[in-house]
Amino acid sequence: MKWFYILLVMCLGILFLSNPDMNDFREYVEEESRRMIQEGVNAPGLGDALSQAGSQLAEAFVDNVTKRNNYYIFSTYEIDLTPRNRSDEPYKFLGIGGSFINLTNFDARR
C-alpha cells in the first residue's frame, strides 16, 4: 500500500511539472492554425506563405480571447469568439501532461 501512495505522489508531481501554460497554448494554437490553413489551401507555395502569416496572427490574438483555468495538474482553456462565432459556446481545450486535447469541435472555418 505504501508503494501505491509513492507512485500516486510521483504521478501527481509529474503532472504538476508538465502542466502547460499560456506560452505552450500559444504555440499549440499557432501550429494548429498553420495546419488548418495549409489543409485549406491546395497551392503549396501560397499555402506556406498564408499559413505562416495566419498562424502568427492567431498566436498574437490568442491572449485576447482565451481564458485559462489552472488546476495545477491540468489546465482548461476557453477561446471565446462570440462576435464572429455562430454559436455562443467557447471552444474548449484541456492541457495535461504537456499536451492539449480539443474538448469541442474546433473548426476555424466556422
Side-chain angles (χ1 to χ4, degrees):
M1 189 62 137
K2 177 175 140 180
W3 288 106
F4 172 76
Y5 291 117
I6 292 172
L7 186 61
L8 179 65
V9 169
M10 287 177 55
C11 288
L12 290 175
I14 290 169
L15 287 175
F16 176 78
L17 293 174
S18 63
N19 184 14
D21 59 12
M22 275 304 288
N23 290 330
D24 298 323
F25 190 66
R26 264 188 237 102
E27 291 173 12
Y28 170 76
V29 168
E30 179 183 17
E31 186 60 37
E32 283 298 301
S33 60
R34 178 175 298 150
R35 184 187 56 77
M36 285 181 182
I37 292 170
Q38 284 180 342
E39 286 177 2
V41 178
N42 291 328
L46 180 60
D48 292 339
L50 288 176
S51 68
Q52 181 67 26
S55 64
Q56 288 175 352
L57 180 63
E59 179 188 17
F61 191 62
V62 75
D63 284 341
N64 297 329
V65 295
T66 303
K67 177 184 174 190
R68 176 182 186 238
N69 294 311
N70 184 5
Y71 298 101
Y72 301 106
I73 59 172
F74 68 93
S75 295
T76 60
Y77 300 82
E78 293 183 358
I79 298 177
D80 188 4
L81 301 174
T82 303
R84 293 172 301 285
N85 193 352
R86 292 185 193 147
S87 71
D88 293 328
E89 292 296 316
Y91 298 110
K92 297 177 183 178
F93 299 87
L94 173 68
I96 187 167
S99 298
F100 294 96
I101 301 168
N102 188 348
L103 300 176
T104 56
N105 187 16
F106 179 68
D107 185 358
R109 296 170 288 234
R110 280 202 316 183

